[in-house]
Amino acid sequence: MPAIQFHRRQLLQGAAALTTLWAGFASTAHAASMPGARELAGEEITLTIGQTIIQVDGRPARAVAINGGVPGPTLRLRQGQKLRITVINELNEDSSIHWHGLELPFQMDGVPGVSFPGIPALGRFTYEFTITQHGTYWYHSHSGLQEMMGCYGSIVIEPAQADPAPPAHDHVMVLSDHSYVHPAGILRKLKVDPGHYARYPQTLAGLIAGKDQPLKTRLEFARMRMDPADISDVTGKVFRYLINGRGMADNFTAPITPGAPTRLRFINAGSMTFFNVRIPDLAMKVIAADGQPIVPVEVDEFQMGPGETYDVLITPQDRAYTVAAEAMDRSGMARATLTPRPGLAAPVPPLRAPVRLTMRDMGMDMDMSHGGGGMDMSMRSQANAPDVKLGPGVDMIAPMPVDRTGDPGLGLDKIGHRVLTYRDLVAPEQNPDPRAPQREIEMHLTGSMDRYLWSFDGVTMSEAHHPVTWTTGERLRITLINDTMMGHPIHLHGHIFELVTGHGDRSPRKHTVIVQPGGKVSFDVTAIEGDWPMHCHLFLHMAMGMMRVVKVRGA
Amino acid sequence: MKMRYFLSLALALSAMPLFATGLHAQETGTDQSPGSAPAPAPAHDRLADRYYDPAAMARAEAVMMNGHGNLTYSQIRADLAEVRVTGADKGYHFEGEAWTGNVNRFVVATRGEGDFGSSGDRGAEKGRFKEGEVQALYARALGPWWNLRGGVRQDFGPGPQRTHAMLAIDGLSPYRFDIQGALFLSQRGELTGRIEAAVDERITRRLVLQPRGEVNFSVQDQRDRELGSGLTSIEVGARLRYEFTRQFAPYVGVLWTSSLGRTADYVRAEGKSASSAGVVLGIKVWL
């Protein structure tokens, strides 16, 4: 009986997908007639930031668009080329564009108040720098909450030596989240009612029905004043999840050729959403992370935090496939279709069961054999984090944070197929700087769920008059310890760093790293002169203060 | 004996790869341990001043700093806005506050109650506002869950009124109880206090049961306010609300209130009952 129901549901979804597919193709044609080319190349590029109304699944939504579109145009560049990008700000407020993941002179990095004064309302600014790297990157506004309203686009940089055997297709997949309400309203609601967008709270009915956590675990979390159902601050209750600006019904559709490799460049441009990406019935060979090549590794699914990018190769058969990018908390999905012919679609997988936090996510993994012998296992001990300012903005200090780079990400540990972990990433060539780090810096990611405050070491950006200082050229080990119950994708501007995951001088190179709740991550980095922001790429966490300026000065 | 031998052999074998890497010092790249070089002196200058107008940079930096953790928020909310029906008596009761700030807040809180009158009442008694209070407070965060509130309370309504200096603690206790304890010192030197506790139990996604209790006490006997020394009153209720949204949730509930000790004597002397049970109907709402 259940099997029959399953088929019926698949058929229904297939039929629904088919009817929207034509609409999808039609709207693609419509998009082409929208102002602004979808792809820009060359050494002289102009981008215009302006307000617009976009249609998300047939409903109008306010947006801050670049060249009239959300996302903005893809910049197709070549390694080694020079670039002059003039950005025209048509907004009535200051704006900016930050080149996420690019190594460039810091004064071109595009963060108002750190690297430049910003682009004034109705003003313009010309960025000028040389493209030194290749791979998949992106750009976005670093002003206010403009990124959350659509002010982002993708960057594809071809290597200096062209690929002798390029894939048959090369598609950019920009994952994002968009709301029909203004993000300032979202932030305010989180501030006055932190659980406001909770989609799947645990209930008494659930307890009686034997769902979710047993009573004992619920009581343990209640004693800690924590909500194990609080996976994402902002959920599908207010967000629509998009691929290349298209919602579920809009169904972004891209061509594939049966038997021929296709490259998909996934960019998580979401403001507040971790995505779980999979293509049912199709293995993905991950070939690059954060624009940096890695030894190909075949997986069925991967989790990506805002700011991260992954390039995958797929070899499809003669059928359509659904690209399913499920929000980590399972409150919604972004979806696209890959098809050899217009008119085909594949079933959209249903949302999976809601995720619940465990004691491991609270940095209290008691299953480990060495237990808590001699350690202070209380939830907020200064002894476990001497450098953290234990103020109102710090509701926990993980007593036993563990290296979780071998974990596949929240909710994907028992999923039954291959899920990428950071430990699976290996650089194909020796890292450019294999020196041992000269010193180690520990930074704690801190926050208060009930006050909706986010910070580093218990201090918000607005309070941080003591910036982090590094010396130009020095090799550093940065250890990030997550003392919160949420994962944070931490992005360091202007640098590509090496993750410490046991791969020696073939460590994966990244610009953004997820620190799992109750976990820790180390990376080694060679300091480049400049003033560089380092922040959580959950935009509202950054807006609440989870940001620092790293000041790198000559020795 | 044999067992122990095998165990130690297994241990030795498992330790070998570690030993081997140590021996050959083959660690490279990120496998190496960090050294203990000293940190440089903290830098406080803005490097961008070399490329852009320092005045413009200073302005932008101020905006950037303020915009990353120092903005102000506000809320107006009514936790209770309800009609209370006890036998033939109908009355109303409200509790709510408005605040502005971020970590530390300015708060204006109010509560009050009145009668719609009972069916047997004389007309003059109908729709009478009984008593109310308004508090103007500064709330300072003590830690992640507790706030210290200090300020003044002014009573209003037809009865005897006082102006009080007040000090309160409010916050979230383990097991997620919302708790508030307050002390009031009137201009006549009378000390009274109030402790409130509530907890939300989510039955379904939208249905929430909230047990709630309140205890009041007075240090002195205050005849004009009909308060006896010691515990003066207790109120226990349970409200079941339906969250159409988190901002708008009507509820129904049951309530039991009782005056205690000498306070109860004052009440009885007026020919009223010291305790009563009834039902409530109201909304929890915030803007």
Side-chain angles (χ1 to χ4, degrees), chain A residues 107 188 191 225 507 551, chain B residues 30 45 52 74 102 143 176:
Chain A
Q107 70 273 19
R188 192 237 158 194
K191 196 70 197 178
R225 293 169 270 208
S507 294
K551 292 184 177 278
Chain B
T30 58
D45 60 319
Y52 307 103
S74 56
N102 188 338
R176 300 195 72 91

Side-chain angles (χ1 to χ4, degrees), chain A residues 500-552:
Chain A
V500 180
T501 48
H503 295 300
D505 57 3
R506 287 194 162 57
S507 294
R509 310 194 68 218
K510 294 186 100 280
H511 49 60
T512 306
V513 61
I514 299 174
V515 194
Q516 297 289 350
K520 60 181 178 181
V521 165
S522 294
F523 62 78
D524 288 0
V525 64
T526 305
I528 300 169
E529 187 150 275
D531 285 355
W532 305 103
M534 178 162 156
H535 61 87
C536 178
H537 225 281
L538 297 168
F539 257 78
L540 298 182
H541 291 189
M542 179 178 77
M544 290 292 93
M546 199 182 251
M547 170 164 156
R548 274 294 183 284
V549 175
V550 178
K551 292 184 177 278
V552 187

Side-chain angles (χ1 to χ4, degrees), chain A residues 107 188-189 191 193 204-205 222 225 434 437-439 451 462 465 467 469 477 504 507 531 543-544 551 553, chain B residues 30 32 35 37 40 43-45 47 52 65 68-69 73-74 102 143 145 147 172 175-176 202-203 246-247 287:
Chain A
Q107 70 273 19
R188 192 237 158 194
K189 290 213 164 126
K191 196 70 197 178
D193 179 28
L204 197 62
R225 293 169 270 208
Q438 292 149 255
R439 60 185 178 111
R451 294 190 189 276
S462 58
H465 301 291
T469 308
R477 172 153 306 162
S507 294
D531 285 355
M544 290 292 93
K551 292 184 177 278
R553 298 291 182 269
Chain B
T30 58
Q32 302 165 100
H44 289 283
D45 60 319
L47 220 47
Y52 307 103
M65 291 287 276
H68 291 97
Y73 305 86
S74 56
N102 188 338
W145 292 290
N147 305 295
L172 195 67
Y175 299 100
R176 300 195 72 91
R202 200 165 282 276
I203 295 171
R246 299 265 299 200
Q247 285 179 262
L287 299 170

Side-chain angles (χ1 to χ4, degrees), chain A residues 315-544:
Chain A
T315 306
Q317 295 174 352
D318 190 9
R319 53 159 283 194
Y321 295 92
T322 293
V323 177
E326 186 185 51
M328 177 172 71
D329 69 325
R330 283 83 193 270
S331 66
M333 189 184 278
R335 164 261 189 137
T337 296
L338 306 173
T339 172
R341 293 174 298 283
L344 293 184
V348 177
L351 293 171
R352 294 173 291 195
V355 182
R356 303 296 182 220
L357 296 176
T358 63
M359 286 299 153
R360 187 171 169 82
D361 301 315
M362 307 296 291
M364 312 177 71
D365 196 352
M366 309 304 185
D367 297 338
M368 303 190 69
S369 52
H370 45 270
M375 272 186 109
D376 189 344
M377 294 305 289
S378 69
M379 279 304 296
R380 205 164 164 271
S381 167
Q382 186 83 69
N384 290 333
D387 295 331
V388 171
K389 186 184 158 204
L390 281 187
V394 181
D395 64 13
M396 69 177 256
I397 296 290
M400 283 185 67
V402 288
D403 181 342
R404 302 190 67 180
T405 54
D407 289 14
L410 272 187
L412 295 182
D413 50 340
K414 294 183 186 82
I415 215 74
H417 58 208
R418 297 165 297 178
V419 185
L420 187 75
T421 74
Y422 280 156
R423 284 183 183 256
D424 296 331
L425 305 174
V426 179
E429 287 173 23
Q430 197 191 48
N431 297 146
D433 189 351
R435 285 182 295 160
Q438 292 149 255
R439 60 185 178 111
E440 181 170 14
I441 299 173
E442 248 182 37
M443 293 177 85
H444 288 256
L445 314 182
T446 46
S448 165
M449 302 294 288
D450 277 296
R451 294 190 189 276
Y452 206 71
L453 293 172
W454 301 100
S455 54
F456 277 104
D457 294 332
V459 178
T460 63
M461 181 71 226
S462 58
E463 297 166 332
H465 301 291
H466 297 282
V468 181
T469 308
W470 298 348
T471 307
T472 307
E474 78 170 323
R475 186 78 175 155
L476 292 140
R477 172 153 306 162
I478 313 300
T479 296
L480 301 171
I481 298 171
N482 190 346
D483 288 320
T484 79
M485 51 183 278
M486 293 209 140
H488 301 281
I490 302 297
H491 172 49
L492 172 61
H493 286 225
H495 293 73
I496 306 285
F497 48 74
E498 286 82 36
L499 284 189
V500 180
T501 48
H503 295 300
D505 57 3
R506 287 194 162 57
S507 294
R509 310 194 68 218
K510 294 186 100 280
H511 49 60
T512 306
V513 61
I514 299 174
V515 194
Q516 297 289 350
K520 60 181 178 181
V521 165
S522 294
F523 62 78
D524 288 0
V525 64
T526 305
I528 300 169
E529 187 150 275
D531 285 355
W532 305 103
M534 178 162 156
H535 61 87
C536 178
H537 225 281
L538 297 168
F539 257 78
L540 298 182
H541 291 189
M542 179 178 77
M544 290 292 93

Side-chain angles (χ1 to χ4, degrees), chain A residues 207-220:
Chain A
L207 181 71
I208 292 162
K211 287 182 191 157
D212 299 337
Q213 292 178 336
L215 185 63
K216 183 174 173 290
T217 317
R218 290 180 188 219
L219 287 173
E220 279 172 26

